[in-house]
Amino acid sequence: MLTKTALLLLSYCLIPAIAVAEVSIEKKLVNQINNQLDESQDLLEKLVNINSGTLNFAGVKQVGQVLSGKFDSIGFTTEWVEGNGFGRAGHLVASYDSVINPHAPKILMIGHLDTVFAEDDDFQNISVVGKNRLAGPGITDMKGGDVIIFAALQALHNLGLLEQLNIKVVMTGDEESSGRPLEKSKKALVDAAIWADVALGFEDADGDVNTAVTARRGSVGWTLTASGKAAHSSQIFSDAVGYGAIFELARILNGFREQLSNTPLLSFNPGLIAGGTRLSDKGSSTMESFGKRNVVAQTAIVKGGLRAVSPEQLVNTQSAMQQIVVQHLALTNATLSFDEGYPPMQQTQGNVNLLAMYSKVSVDLGYKPVTAVNPRNAGAADISFAADHVAMAIDGLGLMGTGGHTKDEVADMTTFAQNIHKTAILLYRLSLANNQVQKH
């Protein structure tokens, strides 16, 4: 059902022409962004050259300190949320309250400070790799998005337009490897989303500047453990010995494939497996096993991931997987457990309407229309923890490029100014909508 909020925003999106005064202001915003572009790129280079692998707490905090100073300079109140309670460096929260507009929309802007590149990685610095192409650790995922957030807000501030908005910026320090428990590690983000009307995420999504994310699949881990009766292999399949742990594991995995692999927008992947007479689980990514060809396997473990497009799909899939697990082969047993994970960002009419508004901004600026990313091509992200709490949300507004999470991570710098322009104009237009975008 279309809510009043969604209908009002949709009507705003479909206005055929922007008032002349608004066009003039928007041109000034674009000029302001262009004039400060060298400063924005300098900030990007500075941030990329600070290693902030998730477990490099000092580096994550240093990136947060640099950005905190920037937000302080344009009138934000900043806070560092310590991560001691969830085993990570912490998060940066920057807030700005409108003093002139009691009906100003409340907008949450989401970034993250950490990257996948560890402190001792040899991929450490930004470099020029071609015309309008810069390589660097985390340049697109997502220090480029962080700078786009700040640069858009800086331009609004410099033209006296920031006063028409209520803004919270949350830049997490553990997006690439979430702290635990999630209830604590995502609390700052969820609290900001509960406060907000609109959520904007600045990941690079599928790397296409002409797309944005209106839906993301959730992601949870799972562990399947099977056991059997150890015996000489000559007795396998007998009434006294049964099938052993590895055959039980194989039965279950094949059952998952047969029953669930054709479910639209669902994926599940067994990424790590081990089995034998003895097995030692070393953590999320390492297991050691001992076994012999002539001994029936006593134990086997597989670890995998599950991605679903809605809470209902997730629950139904988990139930179906458990039903497959309990149909044990003779003299075997198995258990399936699920970890904490990222919830889905569901497709909503509010998200669709916000994308329409963003696309219109793009077209009005002379760029191409922006369409929705296929949820299958959008991995889990922090906005998933916020989306259910706001009237509308989109993601993928950051710096575009290729090779994310690899040493070939390269930014397309032609998208840098473009997405700062689009962000600033979108925020300005949201400020004109006033209570039309409020969820309460």
Side-chain angles (χ1 to χ4, degrees):
M1 182 175 69
L2 215 59
T3 65
K4 180 180 179 182
T5 296
L7 285 167
L8 287 168
L9 181 57
L10 183 59
S11 67
Y12 180 85
C13 295
L14 298 179
I15 294 172
I18 305 168
V20 174
E22 293 169 20
V23 171
S24 176
I25 291 172
E26 292 182 1
K27 286 182 177 178
K28 290 180 180 178
L29 266 174
V30 170
N31 290 335
Q32 179 66 40
I33 290 164
N34 293 342
N35 290 338
Q36 66 191 40
L37 199 57
D38 287 345
E39 178 187 347
S40 298
Q41 185 163 322
D42 288 345
L43 175 60
L44 176 63
E45 294 182 12
K46 182 174 185 177
L47 295 180
V48 172
N49 286 334
I50 301 171
N51 179 278
S52 59
T54 306
L55 298 183
N56 178 9
F57 291 3
V60 173
K61 289 181 177 180
Q62 186 179 354
V63 172
Q65 287 169 353
V66 172
L67 285 164
S68 178
K70 290 294 184 179
F71 285 112
D72 288 340
S73 72
I74 59 172
F76 276 71
T77 300
T78 56
E79 175 190 6
W80 182 258
V81 179
E82 286 291 347
N84 298 335
F86 48 91
R88 292 295 184 266
H91 312 313
L92 173 64
V93 178
S95 304
Y96 187 93
D97 296 323
S98 174
V99 295
I100 65 171
N101 185 358
H103 302 296
K106 299 173 181 176
I107 299 172
L108 168 61
M109 304 175 76
I110 301 170
H112 66 81
L113 309 170
D114 61 320
T115 76
V116 299
F117 300 97
E119 187 174 5
D120 59 355
D121 198 292
D122 59 8
F123 188 38
Q124 293 284 356
N125 299 113
I126 201 165
S127 62
V128 178
V129 294
K131 184 178 180 181
N132 295 317
R133 288 167 58 82
L134 294 178
I139 191 168
T140 61
D141 189 12
M142 66 168 294
K143 291 175 179 178
D146 295 338
V147 176
I148 287 172
I149 292 172
F150 173 73
L153 294 172
Q154 181 186 33
L156 288 163
H157 165 77
N158 288 341
L159 293 181
L161 300 172
L162 191 57
E163 297 173 350
Q164 300 176 32
L165 289 163
N166 293 305
I167 301 285
K168 280 191 186 295
V169 179
V170 177
M171 294 184 175
T172 63
D174 68 340
E175 196 275 345
E176 301 294 0
S177 178
S178 294
R180 292 293 190 272
L182 287 176
E183 181 181 5
K184 291 184 177 180
S185 75
K186 304 304 177 186
K187 185 178 186 303
L189 184 59
V190 171
D191 286 349
I194 291 170
W195 165 87
D197 303 308
V198 177
L200 304 175
F202 289 82
E203 291 277 4
D204 59 334
D206 64 350
D208 185 348
V209 73
N210 301 313
T211 66
V213 177
T214 56
R216 285 186 179 275
R217 296 189 298 171
S219 177
V220 299
W222 52 270
T223 301
L224 175 64
T225 303
S227 60
K229 186 174 181 180
H232 195 281
S233 64
S234 63
Q235 302 303 303
I236 196 168
F237 311 142
S238 68
D239 292 343
V241 173
Y243 286 78
I246 290 178
F247 270 117
E248 170 70 346
L249 206 63
R251 173 196 70 81
I252 295 168
L253 292 177
N254 192 51
F256 292 170
R257 181 189 64 82
E258 288 183 336
Q259 295 190 33
L260 299 169
S261 61
N262 292 323
T263 306
L265 296 178
L266 175 73
S267 64
F268 48 91
N269 176 59
L272 178 65
I273 190 169
T277 307
R278 297 191 304 272
L279 192 149
S280 176
D281 187 350
K282 300 293 186 179
S284 62
S285 302
T286 305
M287 292 188 288
E288 293 181 359
S289 63
F290 171 83
K292 299 181 69 176
R293 297 182 184 186
N294 61 350
V295 177
V296 177
Q298 187 173 16
T299 185
I301 296 179
V302 62
K303 297 183 180 184
L306 169 63
R307 295 178 184 268
V309 75
S310 69
E312 293 78 16
Q313 187 181 68
L314 176 61
V315 170
N316 291 340
T317 301
Q318 290 174 324
S319 176
M321 292 171 76
Q322 294 288 10
Q323 288 300 313
I324 294 167
V325 169
V326 298
Q327 301 169 33
H328 305 302
L329 295 173
L331 299 182
T332 68
N333 197 7
T335 58
L336 174 65
S337 62
F338 295 93
D339 303 332
E340 290 185 301
Y342 278 61
M345 175 187 177
Q346 296 187 82
Q347 180 81 285
T348 68
Q349 190 60 54
N351 297 357
V352 171
N353 293 344
L354 184 59
L355 176 62
M357 189 175 189
Y358 184 68
S359 181
K360 189 174 189 305
V361 168
S362 182
V363 172
D364 289 344
L365 285 167
Y367 303 129
K368 292 181 179 180
V370 182
T371 59
V373 173
N374 184 332
R376 195 171 181 88
N377 298 330
D382 276 341
I383 198 169
S384 296
F385 290 95
D388 281 351
H389 300 287
V390 294
M392 51 199 70
I394 56 173
D395 197 2
L397 311 186
L399 178 60
M400 303 301 165
T402 57
H405 285 206
T406 76
K407 294 178 183 180
D408 297 317
E409 185 172 359
V410 175
D412 175 2
M413 294 303 293
T414 66
T415 70
F416 188 53
Q418 182 177 159
N419 278 1
I420 301 172
H421 295 158
K422 289 191 286 191
T423 298
I425 302 301
L426 177 64
L427 291 172
Y428 173 63
R429 293 189 185 181
L430 285 170
S431 75
L432 299 179
N434 289 333
N435 61 356
Q436 294 180 15
V437 298
Q438 294 178 327
K439 63 186 175 185
H440 303 300

